[in-house]
Amino acid sequence: MSETDVVDVDVIVIGAGFAGMYALHRLRDELGLRVVGVERGTGVGGTWYWNRYPGARCDVESLWYSYSFSEELEQEWSWSERFATQPEILAYAEHVADRFDLRRDILFSTDVRRAEFDDASSTWTVHTADGRTLSARFLLTALGNLSAAQVPRFPGASEFAGRTFHTGAWPHEGVDFTGRRVAVIGTGSSGIQAIPHIAAEAAHLFVLQRTPAFSVPARNRPLAEEELADVKRRYRELRALIHESPAGLPVPPSTLKALELSPAEARSALEERWARGGGWIASTFADNLLSEEANAVTADFVRERIRELVHDPETAESLIPRDYPIGAKRICVDTDYYATFNRDDVTLVDVRRTPIERIIPAGVVVGGREYQVDDLVFATGYDAFTGPLDKIDIIGSGGMCLRDKWSEGPITYLGIATAGFPNLLILTGPGSPSVLANAMPVIEQHVEWACALVDHARRHGLHRVEAQPAAEAEWTAHVGEIASRTILMKAASWYLGANVPGKPRVFVPYAGGLTHYRDICDGVAADGYRGFTLTGGEDAAVA
Ligand code: NAP
């Protein structure tokens, strides 16, 4: 295709991560639609394409972090470890792309700059950075919620003489830190995974920590052949359990309540989860996210473990989170994170008490002290949820810009549609469960629901599908109300936009659980897409 061709299809899908790939497959191969995918990377995989930093791994167990839509795919793919590495997950994404022959309909290395809805034709026109124009009745965004890097603007940053990296845009060829003095800024999931690996190579590592994280050991291990074979035999049964789980995991939610147990009983339950490894500890008790008092039982247990793992008491105290409940920020899952601070060549620098003042050519200045480094690693996270959408000029009906509409925070109906932007479906968007449950079942639910809506429009000859203002106002209020019943509001987290200076503080994802959410979406569809205005065709109706 030349750069000036206009491509006219039924659906444009932006993004070729797990959501975009599945949407392309379902729309093209199951519904027989003409679809084009657009992806800024040179390959598929989304977050797993970009996040190539050392130690990058999924914090959801591999066996459940996979598509369920194809039994053949389930049977032919074998995970090698309990928590898969980034290269293995990327290989899985590439295998899916090959197996379903997806690449032929994806424009790689293509950045979308602008998407504009035309009221007269009820179509979207997408303009890419390299001058292509694509048009379609439906536009699906599958941009990921954590794909717009957040790099704090420290004075002097452009003068730094060494190398700088962001964990979410890691060089494909890898980075050799041997013999170098390195500073890592940020101790969220990305920093916590990268720090032990960088420490093992670097001459000296400075960890610049603003807020300590609650991190739990992954207890990663190879998957035994028998275990894998057993799961493959029982996949349908396990997928059914995942389907019934608010978190999208094949384990029923805990019924234990921290405050109803004796201290010894609570401790024993926590010890069992700590020994099991992974993020399970935050869900040991059903009331963990509902009561600060109950939450303190788990938080105190993890604080004690940090004290045991870190030899120097002063460093241990600096690594202990104190000012927010456990689980209010996404819990981190690590391998040897705390033990890394027992190394002589690793220094923890508390940048909460004395923030980073500036960056100088030779390093970083904190509290008047110069830390000389060769490399700076930003593990500083993302402008979550809205950041990836904000990078595109999305212009809806009557010339409204999505960025402007959402200037006080995102407003959506079911996290998938927004009034004034007909035929735009935002996969795992703001107001959907997205990051609060296992991403794969979340993606599958959203893709299947969105594709069913596109199919409904096609079968009924509808040319315009649009969320109603009253429906989105009610849904957005509901998302906020559900979050306000939990302790999720009690941390300055990226769930709330608190990590981006000037961003409105609104709790974005839907905290009501994937099962409940799925029931709501299914009910909306069963009611003829209640809350959407459907225009055109013989069956056209204002629902
Ligand atoms: P993050 O959780 O937002 O962590 C960013 C870190 O940078 C925080 O420690 C933050 O401190 C710090 N920071 C930001 N601005 C700073 C500043 N101006 N000065 C000093 N420190 C600053 O980002 P992330 O670690 O990339 O993780 C984001 C999410 O991605 C995770 O929560 C998770 O959902 C996902 N993720 C998953 C995996 C996995 O599956 N294993 C791995 C990586 C990421 P404050 O806390 O004080 O803001």
Side-chain angles (χ1 to χ4, degrees):
M1 190 172 71
S2 91
E3 294 196 354
T4 51
D5 284 341
V6 176
V7 177
D8 184 20
V9 288
D10 299 312
V11 189
I12 298 166
V13 179
I14 311 178
F18 283 122
M21 286 201 294
Y22 182 36
L24 171 54
H25 167 60
R26 200 159 174 99
L27 292 162
R28 186 191 68 184
D29 303 331
E30 291 179 19
L31 300 179
L33 295 170
R34 294 171 307 140
V35 190
V36 67
V38 189
E39 164 58 50
R40 73 187 158 107
T42 58
V44 297
T47 202
W48 302 105
Y49 170 93
W50 297 103
N51 279 267
R52 298 172 189 243
Y53 60 84
R57 249 176 224 284
C58 190
D59 58 7
V60 172
E61 295 185 40
S62 321
L63 292 167
W64 326 127
Y65 193 85
S66 57
Y67 289 122
S68 71
F69 70 83
S70 161
E71 288 188 31
E72 294 78 19
L73 175 63
E74 276 175 348
Q75 293 303 319
E76 72 200 13
W77 184 264
S78 298
W79 295 104
S80 67
E81 291 179 75
R82 182 180 179 201
F83 294 100
T85 59
Q86 172 273 330
E88 189 168 8
I89 304 172
L90 184 58
Y92 173 72
E94 288 171 345
H95 170 73
V96 171
D98 291 338
R99 189 185 199 290
F100 297 100
D101 194 14
L102 301 179
R103 290 179 218 269
R104 71 181 149 95
D105 285 312
I106 303 173
L107 299 171
F108 290 104
S109 308
T110 305
D111 224 341
V112 172
R113 286 283 159 83
R114 186 177 173 87
E116 206 168 352
F117 184 73
D118 176 45
D119 283 297
S121 60
S122 294
T123 54
W124 281 94
T125 300
V126 162
H127 301 277
T128 67
D130 57 5
R132 298 181 208 223
T133 304
L134 321 171
S135 67
R137 167 103 335 132
F138 281 93
L139 176 63
L140 265 61
T141 60
L143 302 172
N145 285 304
L146 296 161
S147 57
Q150 172 64 17
V151 180
R153 291 196 184 145
F154 296 115
S158 61
E159 288 151 38
F160 182 61
R163 304 180 297 180
T164 57
F165 307 98
H166 187 280
T167 48
W170 205 258
H172 286 203
E173 63 279 14
V175 179
D176 185 3
F177 290 106
T178 311
R180 297 179 70 91
R181 293 167 66 82
V182 184
V184 172
I185 305 176
T187 52
S189 298
S190 305
I192 275 174
Q193 288 186 335
I195 283 163
H197 290 260
I198 298 176
E201 262 180 34
H204 200 97
L205 174 65
F206 297 94
V207 176
L208 276 54
Q209 170 194 267
R210 187 165 67 182
T211 308
F214 284 102
S215 190
V216 295
R219 309 212 190 282
N220 187 36
R221 56 177 167 75
L223 285 173
E225 263 180 45
E226 316 79 70
E227 189 178 359
L228 203 55
D230 177 55
V231 167
K232 285 190 181 187
R233 262 193 307 277
R234 297 191 301 116
Y235 248 133
R236 297 282 56 76
E237 176 198 327
L238 294 161
R239 298 293 190 193
L241 286 173
I242 289 176
H243 195 79
E244 293 310 313
S245 151
L249 297 167
V251 179
S254 171
T255 51
L256 296 176
K257 293 206 171 149
L259 301 179
E260 290 174 2
L261 299 175
S262 71
E265 288 168 332
R267 189 181 178 88
S268 150
L270 287 162
E271 273 170 353
E272 190 274 314
R273 298 251 176 164
W274 182 262
R276 204 191 300 176
W280 296 105
I281 197 130
S283 50
T284 309
F285 304 119
D287 45 1
N288 193 52
L289 291 182
L290 300 174
S291 141
E292 283 193 74
E293 214 188 332
N295 187 283
V297 175
T298 303
D300 285 344
F301 176 85
V302 175
R303 290 180 184 122
E304 268 180 55
R305 304 285 79 72
I306 298 172
R307 287 192 184 96
E308 285 168 3
L309 289 166
V310 181
H311 299 163
D312 173 48
E314 207 181 311
T315 308
E317 290 311 309
S318 298
L319 284 165
I320 288 174
R322 290 194 172 74
D323 57 359
Y324 64 95
I326 187 167
K329 283 184 170 210
R330 165 86 170 214
I331 198 155
C332 301
V333 176
D334 74 87
T335 299
D336 295 336
Y337 174 64
Y338 292 114
T340 300
F341 293 92
N342 297 331
R343 298 175 65 116
D344 294 336
D345 51 7
V346 173
T347 306
L348 181 68
V349 182
D350 183 339
V351 300
R352 162 69 53 89
R353 262 176 287 173
T354 46
I356 297 169
E357 268 167 46
R358 58 182 294 106
I359 292 176
I360 53 171
V364 189
V365 182
V366 180
R369 179 168 168 197
E370 240 179 75
Y371 294 88
Q372 298 212 341
V373 293
D374 306 306
D375 298 319
L376 265 179
V377 175
F378 289 91
T380 46
Y382 299 88
D383 180 356
F385 309 107
T386 50
L389 290 157
D390 283 351
K391 283 184 165 179
I392 302 172
D393 293 326
I394 300 179
I395 312 296
S397 177
M400 188 191 329
C401 178
L402 187 63
R403 219 181 283 121
D404 295 339
K405 177 179 172 183
W406 287 1
S407 62
E408 302 296 316
I411 304 164
T412 68
Y413 182 38
L414 303 175
I416 197 163
T418 188
F421 295 80
N423 303 354
L424 169 67
L425 298 172
I426 303 163
L427 298 177
T428 71
S432 79
S434 64
V435 298
L436 296 182
N438 178 5
M440 292 302 245
V442 162
I443 283 171
E444 289 193 325
Q445 184 276 338
H446 240 208
V447 168
E448 286 162 18
W449 199 88
C451 293
L453 177 52
V454 170
D455 189 40
H456 177 84
R458 179 183 59 159
R459 281 187 290 107
H460 294 275
L462 307 169
H463 59 78
R464 190 169 162 136
V465 172
E466 183 176 359
Q468 294 167 359
E472 67 174 12
E474 195 186 329
W475 179 256
T476 304
H478 175 61
V479 171
E481 202 268 320
I482 292 270
S484 71
R485 289 191 225 152
T486 70
I487 51 86
L488 288 163
M489 309 286 282
K490 300 209 179 274
S493 70
W494 56 262
Y495 298 151
L496 273 161
N499 63 325
V500 179
K503 197 168 176 177
R505 289 223 180 176
V506 175
F507 192 89
V508 176
Y510 178 65
L514 179 57
T515 31
H516 187 52
Y517 174 79
R518 182 186 290 112
D519 289 345
I520 294 171
C521 290
D522 290 349
V524 165
D527 286 351
Y529 293 98
R530 171 173 27 92
F532 284 90
T533 298
L534 311 174
T535 314
E538 286 174 18
D539 296 355
V542 176

